[in-house]
Amino acid sequence: MTQNHEDAVARAAGLIAEAIRALQEAAAAEAGVSRAELAQSRAAIASLSERLERQLAEEREQRQLVADQLSNLASSLDRLVNHLHGLSQLMAELLERLATPAAPAAAAEPPEPTFQPGGEGVSLSLSGVPGFQALMDIQKALMAMEPVAAASVERFQEGESRILLQLRSPISASELAASLHRSTGHAIVVEEARPELMRLRLKVVGA
C-alpha cells in the first residue's frame, strides 16, 4: 500500500466518522435521544477512528521494517557477490599457475678440477710479479698453505717467475689464488689451469 493510498483511507475514515456523527445527531434530534446516549455513540465512533489510525500506523511500521530488512539483504548479497568474484579470480590464477609447466632446474655446475699430489709436482707460472720481495712473499704464502708441501722458485726474470709446487692434498686453482690474495694482499687471477698436465698460470694484477 502506498502513502497516497494510506492518506486516502485516513480521509475516508474521517469522513465516515463525520457522517455517522451527523446522522446520529440528526436521528437523536428526531427521536428525542438523550444526551448521554448521544455522547456514548460519539465515544464509540472516536474509539473506532482511533483503532483505524492505530492499525494504519502499525502497517506503516511493518512496511518500514520489511523495507529495512530488504535493504540489508541487498547489501549482504552485494558483499557476497564481490567475495565470490574475488574468489573466482584467485582460483583462476591458481589454476593458471598449476597449468604452467615449472621451469627446469638449472643444471648444477660441475666441481672445479683440482691439482692432485704426486708426480713431478705442479709447475706454477707467475706473471706481473712487482719485484723480488713480492716473489718471496708469494713463496712464503704458498709454503703456509695446508695442501702445499713445498714451493721452490725455479726462475724469476722481468716480473715472470716459475715455482714448482709439491702438494700433500688436492687444491683447485681458484682456491690457491684466493689464498695467495688473502696472505699477500696482491690481487691474483687464474690465466690457465691444466690439472691433467700439472700446469698452472697465475697473474698478479695489483695489490
Side-chain angles (χ1 to χ4, degrees):
M1 182 183 297
T2 64
Q3 184 65 37
N4 292 335
H5 185 65
E6 292 177 5
D7 295 340
V9 171
R11 288 196 298 272
L15 292 173
I16 291 171
E18 289 293 335
I20 292 175
R21 279 197 297 271
L23 288 174
Q24 285 182 337
E25 289 176 356
E30 293 178 358
V33 177
S34 66
R35 290 181 176 274
E37 292 176 346
L38 182 59
Q40 184 177 3
S41 298
R42 288 178 175 176
I45 293 172
S47 176
L48 176 61
S49 177
E50 183 180 353
R51 286 199 300 272
L52 286 173
E53 292 177 356
R54 188 164 54 246
Q55 183 175 0
L56 289 174
E58 291 176 355
E59 289 179 356
R60 284 195 294 269
E61 291 178 357
Q62 291 178 353
R63 284 194 296 274
Q64 184 62 42
L65 179 62
V66 171
D68 293 341
Q69 291 176 344
L70 290 176
S71 177
N72 293 335
L73 180 60
S75 299
S76 299
L77 288 174
D78 287 340
R79 289 193 296 270
L80 179 60
V81 169
N82 292 333
H83 178 71
L84 290 175
H85 181 66
L87 184 60
S88 64
Q89 288 183 333
L90 181 61
M91 290 297 296
E93 292 176 0
L94 180 60
L95 291 174
E96 184 178 357
R97 291 181 183 179
L98 291 175
T100 303
E109 294 184 2
E112 183 182 357
T114 58
F115 292 89
Q116 300 295 321
E120 297 180 357
V122 179
S123 177
L124 170 60
S125 297
L126 283 168
S127 62
V129 180
F132 183 77
Q133 184 58 49
L135 178 61
M136 293 298 98
D137 293 339
I138 291 173
Q139 182 185 24
K140 183 179 178 180
L142 289 169
M143 291 292 296
M145 294 181 192
E146 179 63 28
V148 178
S152 303
V153 177
E154 295 186 331
R155 183 176 65 86
F156 177 63
Q157 185 177 3
E158 296 180 354
E160 297 283 339
S161 176
R162 184 172 65 246
I163 301 175
L164 181 63
L165 300 180
Q166 298 293 337
L167 302 178
R168 62 168 60 96
S169 61
I171 187 171
S172 67
S174 60
E175 289 173 341
L176 192 144
S179 182
L180 284 176
H181 173 63
R182 288 192 300 268
S183 300
T184 66
H186 295 293
I188 297 176
V189 297
V190 178
E191 289 192 323
E192 182 184 34
R194 301 292 298 274
E196 72 280 5
L197 300 178
M198 300 297 282
R199 189 170 65 204
L200 174 61
R201 183 172 180 83
L202 305 179
K203 183 177 182 180
V204 181
V205 294

